[in-house]
Amino acid sequence: MTILKYDGTFEGFLSAVFHCYENKIDDASILKKVYSASTFFDTEEEIITNPLKAKRVWKGISKKISAEGKKKLYKSFLSEVIEVENIMLGYIKRALSSEKNIETDFTDYNVLTIDKIAKKVSREKHRMDAFVRFRLTQDGIYFATVEPDFNVLPLNADHFKKRYADQKWIIYDLKRKYGIYYNLENVEMVTLEISSTINQKSQASQYFTIEEIQFQQLWGNYFKSSNIVSRKNMELHVKHIPKRYWKYLSEKNC
Amino acid sequence: MDFERIKEKLSILADAAKYDVSCSSSGSNRKNNNKGLGNSSGMGICHSYTEDGRCVSLLKILLTNHCIFDCAYCVTRKSNDIKRAAFQIQEVVDLTINFYRRNYIEGLFLSSGIFKNADYTMERLVAVAKKLREEENFNGYIHLKSIPGASDELMREAGLYADRLSVNIEIPTEKGLKLLAPDKDRKDFIKPMEKVKNEIIQYKSERKLLKKVPIYAPAGQSTQMIVGASGETDAEIMYTSAYFYKSFNLKRVYYSGYIPISHDHRLPSIGTAVPLLRENRLYQTDWLLRFYGFDIRELLNSDFPNLESDIDPKLSWALRNLDQFPIDINKADTRMLLRVPGLGTKSVHKIIQARRYRNLNWENLKSIGASLNRAKYFITCDSRIFETKDRTAAQLKGLILNNATSKFSSTLSAQLNLFESQTINSA
């Protein structure tokens, strides 16, 4: 088996796909550099990310599958699922070699798997649209921290930009240590030194306005008042909001 | 802003509004084109869920819970001894904007007790929406209650600012309404609904001709019925529902299991369980009407006035119509696929796409996500193994209910069941 190691970017992955075709490698396995689990019997090659090559591959794919299909591939990539690259590679090979569009051939393992992974990523993206809780900082930025299961913030940027066009905001992924920042014009990627006390309730007044803390209370209050006790159904509640998301929801922490 | 005062009002007026079950924030097309606040062009979002498992999408409050009416089923009724409060218009605006900016909500759902008269109340609801749109440049979702008896002029104005309007008919039958809300008349509910319906039709036809027509209630109208307060049958509820869907082009009818809130002898007493299962079966029926191509007469009729509680209404229908099965999954049309118990709209869509490439077998169907433990009795596919055709409806029901308890056993044993039951029957 030939292991192709790439830098973890989408362009890097596409460059690896290019490399497979250019060198007619049939037994390729594409892997992020960080997982350097080299074995004795495999050949290893390091892929140098090349935007032009990446573009050519993407263009080739565009001729064979729809915009929706391409989006599914990109979403699968963001899933960071181990070995997703190889499922994507299988999908791309099949798409490129086939006369017909293959993206709805759900009896094909790679097609169905990409569909399922993309759906999971979409769900996580949607959860972030829903569960982000902005807090107004003393310097006038609406700030939120999250730890999504998948690397979905690139997918969320557009939604938040359209919605909060007149306020500065940051959504910060604590797990992946980067955030998206809207500066009233564009959304950009940022890395910040995040203080470990920013999510501690007792320290809130250090970072946030008094009004902010009051609105969190009002919201928590509203959340309690709108519950109907005689219909209590915690199983359903937890199904909709799995516990791992609770720590970022102010209504669950007041 | 007087924080403590607002907090108290919010508790009272959110508590009073929670019996309205609608939380939908989808189906609008109000884009943020002016660099303002908010965008409701996409799908709805549930920002949180209360401990009863219901979605929190909108800030759902009453403007006031003062009310001149005395409807027996309502907590806000005049004769009920509860704390009363009223928001000022600006207070509702501020709460909405500040909650929205923090990504707590998709928008506002504003209802109200009726004070003075219908128009006086409706005017104030409209004033809130107008202020949000015009002064705050707000493009989020607004759902306003149409107050029964409100004038046509006010309903016209309401639709210019709101995304959705709704009137709750509450009691499914006229005789029930007479008993529980003697001051109310079905006609008063219908009047604003009719006006909004006509405005929407006019808006849609004008938009075909002119580019710049102000949008009117883009997310349409809905209504709600209380279930289990007036001894009505499921058929009575669903025929009323079907009538409202058809006559007023409603987007949604909501069903709300009656929650006992009063010692009134006309109503189920306090402590009576909320009919959650019945509510669920009604929603399933509603879905069958809207997305599965069923006619209400197939599901409920004079021979069959109530839904079965132990099985869902589609399975129930299928068991009464065994002559129409089994169907070939690789040949059947969409209409028939949608009628197979265990196949939802998404599975059907996938099946139709996937079978273009090759005939599907059991393994394919399972990986696509079809619920075979029900579907297998009603279909054949690209396989020699299939369920026998000569079982009675009662036998099938028993088999399916038995399997339903094994919901959490591994998929493997479900697969085995398929073969086992086959061997038993051929033996």
Side-chain angles (χ1 to χ4, degrees), chain A residues 101 105 107 115-116 129-130 132-133 162-164 166-167 184 212 222 227-228 231 233 237 251, chain B residues 11 18 32 35 38 47-52 60 100-103 106 279 350 357-358 367:
Chain A
N101 179 318
D105 184 4
T107 50
D115 188 72
K116 283 183 176 167
D129 287 345
V132 156
R133 294 287 177 267
K162 277 186 186 147
R163 168 164 301 213
Y164 299 111
D166 69 343
Q167 71 189 45
L184 298 179
E212 172 56 42
Y222 171 73
N227 180 38
I228 299 178
R231 294 180 63 114
N233 187 345
H237 174 68
E251 67 270 24
Chain B
S11 306
K18 70 188 176 189
N32 187 352
K35 253 202 160 194
H47 284 274
S48 196
Y49 291 85
T50 44
E51 291 190 349
D52 51 25
K60 192 190 293 176
Y100 194 88
R101 286 198 182 282
R102 285 166 177 77
N103 205 41
E106 286 299 282
E279 188 186 286
K350 274 219 158 102
Y357 299 87
R358 64 185 62 85
S367 59

Side-chain angles (χ1 to χ4, degrees), chain B residues 159-206:
Chain B
L160 294 175
Y161 304 116
D163 296 283
R164 169 166 288 182
L165 291 157
S166 66
V167 198
N168 290 353
I169 54 172
E170 303 292 16
I171 302 299
T173 60
E174 290 206 44
K175 111 184 153 256
L177 189 68
K178 217 159 248 154
L179 177 72
L180 297 171
D183 333 331
K184 279 190 178 165
D185 193 333
R186 183 54 73 75
K187 283 202 287 289
D188 293 335
F189 297 92
I190 292 192
K191 185 173 167 260
M193 218 186 257
E194 184 82 44
K195 172 66 182 168
V196 172
K197 179 191 95 174
N198 293 333
E199 285 286 342
I200 292 174
I201 292 171
Q202 194 188 337
Y203 163 67
K204 283 185 177 155
S205 68
E206 279 176 11

Side-chain angles (χ1 to χ4, degrees), chain A residues 196-208:
Chain A
S196 59
T197 59
I198 197 151
N199 288 329
Q200 285 173 16
K201 223 177 145 191
S202 57
Q203 303 296 312
S205 59
Q206 212 182 314
Y207 306 100
F208 304 106

